[in-house]
């Protein structure tokens, strides 16, 4: 695709300069995201920066229904989800 993505390591350096395309996620979405999962988040198609409690935590691309996770594999949290945070099966 033709979209430009900000490097994962550049987010803290550019935090004060980024003001658009930021999505704030909740606790459950954060737990999924840091483990490398895509998250359901209705947003226009495009590239977004995800924020959690004021911190920029990653970059993802939306297809309008979910945000695809681009966290490098070596940086994903490998511990299982806390039982209180596991999504309910549909």
């Amino acid at each position: 695709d033709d979209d430009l993505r900000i490097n994962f390591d550049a987010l803290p350096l550019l935090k004060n300069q980024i003001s658009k395309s930021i999505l704030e996620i909740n606790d459950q979405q954060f737990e999924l995201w840091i483990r490398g999962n895509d998250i359901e988040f209705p947003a226009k198609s495009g590239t977004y920066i995800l924020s959690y409690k004021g911190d920029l935590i990653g970059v993802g691309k939306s297809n309008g229904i979910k945000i695809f996770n681009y966290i490098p594999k070596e940086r994903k949290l490998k511990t299982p989800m806390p039982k209180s945070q596991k999504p309910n099966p549909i």
Side-chain angles (χ1 to χ4, degrees):
D1 60 48
D2 296 330
D3 286 346
L4 182 66
R5 269 189 286 154
I6 296 173
N7 183 292
F8 185 79
D9 294 320
L11 288 176
L13 300 172
L14 300 173
K15 182 178 181 174
N16 294 331
Q17 298 173 13
I18 299 171
S19 61
K20 296 181 181 178
S21 299
I22 298 174
L23 300 176
E24 182 72 26
I25 61 174
N26 63 34
D27 293 337
Q28 184 177 7
Q29 292 167 326
F30 174 72
E31 291 293 334
L32 289 166
W33 186 260
I34 62 173
R35 286 171 174 80
N37 297 295
D38 300 332
I39 56 174
E40 290 187 29
F41 200 110
K44 290 183 181 179
S45 296
T47 302
Y48 291 93
I49 296 168
L50 280 91
S51 173
Y52 177 69
K53 296 185 179 181
D55 291 323
L56 303 181
I57 60 163
V59 178
K61 186 168 182 170
S62 173
N63 67 355
I65 299 169
K66 63 182 175 179
I67 308 285
F68 296 96
N69 192 315
Y70 290 117
I71 293 178
K73 186 181 353 180
E74 62 274 2
R75 295 196 179 175
K76 295 175 184 175
L77 192 60
K78 292 167 182 55
T79 60
M81 289 268 298
K83 289 183 183 189
S84 63
Q85 295 291 329
K86 286 187 180 177
N88 294 329
I90 297 174

